[in-house]
Amino acid sequence: EESGATVRLGRRVLSVGVAPAQTEAAHEYVLRTAPTSCGEECEGSEVEEQGFDFVVLACPRGGGVELQWDGPAAAAQRARLKKSYAEVHTTLVWGVLEPAHFGVSETAAELNNLTDILVGSAGAAERPFNSIGRYGGPRDDGACLWKFFSSQPLTDELLAPMFRSFEGSSVIRHSWTSPGAYPLSRPVQRYPKPGDAFHSFVLHEHNSGAVLFPAALEAATSAMEVMAVSARNAALLAVQRWKLHT
């Protein structure tokens, strides 16, 4: 309420394009939106157009928004929004680990003193997870709350060999699959220079407006805290540009 922002729920953005030159009061960009219940082919009265001076694509891959402008950077920018993401599954389990399964001689109580168990052979049949971390406990019965990260869902059948005992009824699972938890990082032949279209924070500039893509920072590192800083920078950049042209 204090910001005076208008929140529109139940709609998705189809495209963002440069607004046609009309009057001095015209906005720089046009957004086309449709109800979220609408399928891939939305048309007619269901599609609305609104004008904006600044657009921030504040979601992975730009939320599937079509970029409607041309130029030498356009193709690379569209490719940037189609970057592949890693599928990650999180599983929280109360239980007592089975030391023999992990090839160690410690007792179950001694395993509870560990804070993290990082696994090099992630995805192997005997260890179908990327890492384990102790998230809580131990309780009076010796059980701890363990958090698993894996590239596949951890069913009760996959969990059973790793525990002497665990509470199957209280297992919590969450899957990061749409589009994923973080972008897949692959080797590049050179470090991107500032302004490279493929990693650009500013996707497009037009007169006094701009289309910003804070998630471009994920090309270097991906974390919730990093994205918070990136979002703040997007807001500061928009304010700075707006003040320069008012």
Side-chain angles (χ1 to χ4, degrees):
E1 294 181 2
E2 293 181 2
S3 67
T6 300
V7 179
R8 300 195 65 191
L9 303 176
R11 298 192 69 83
R12 62 189 178 94
V13 179
L14 301 176
S15 65
V16 54
V18 178
Q22 296 174 344
T23 65
E24 293 183 359
H27 293 289
E28 304 294 349
Y29 297 95
V30 173
L31 260 68
R32 296 175 65 250
T33 66
T36 53
S37 58
C38 182
E40 293 298 322
E41 300 297 330
C42 295
E43 57 185 22
S45 60
E46 291 183 310
V47 178
E48 295 181 8
E49 291 188 354
Q50 291 180 279
F52 297 91
D53 291 320
F54 292 92
V55 178
V56 180
L57 301 181
C59 52
R61 293 182 178 170
V65 176
E66 180 184 354
L67 305 181
Q68 294 186 327
W69 57 73
D70 297 318
Q77 290 163 348
R78 294 186 181 99
R80 178 71 183 93
L81 297 186
K82 295 179 180 179
K83 188 174 179 65
S84 298
Y85 276 66
E87 180 176 314
V88 175
H89 299 266
T90 305
T91 309
L92 292 169
V93 187
W94 277 104
V96 179
L97 291 178
E98 174 54 70
H101 179 79
F102 296 94
V104 296
S105 58
E106 286 86 350
T107 65
E110 289 172 326
L111 275 180
N112 287 343
N113 294 324
L114 298 177
T115 55
D116 288 286
I117 303 175
L118 301 180
V119 181
S121 57
E126 68 277 10
R127 290 174 176 73
F129 51 84
N130 302 333
S131 66
I132 307 174
R134 183 164 61 86
Y135 204 63
R139 302 184 312 200
D140 292 340
D141 61 359
C144 288
L145 180 60
W146 298 96
K147 180 165 68 172
F148 293 80
F149 287 116
S150 60
S151 57
Q152 62 176 308
L154 294 183
T155 63
D156 285 0
E157 289 73 18
L158 290 174
L159 290 172
M162 295 184 279
F163 288 90
R164 286 186 174 177
S165 62
F166 73 95
E167 298 177 0
S169 60
S170 62
V171 174
I172 298 175
R173 296 179 174 90
H174 182 79
S175 298
W176 304 89
T177 57
S178 183
Y182 52 85
L184 289 173
S185 297
R186 296 185 174 92
V188 294
Q189 294 184 356
R190 62 177 178 81
Y191 191 81
K193 296 180 296 184
D196 272 6
F198 194 72
H199 299 280
S200 180
F201 190 95
V202 180
L203 287 181
H204 193 271
E205 297 177 272
H206 185 64
N207 297 331
S208 61
V211 178
L212 307 178
F213 182 47
L217 199 58
E218 288 189 310
T221 183
S222 181
M224 209 176 304
E225 298 83 357
V226 173
M227 290 301 98
V229 173
S230 190
R232 183 175 186 271
N233 287 343
L236 291 174
L237 181 59
V239 171
Q240 181 187 62
R241 289 180 62 91
W242 177 75
K243 287 183 176 179
L244 288 173
H245 294 86
T246 56

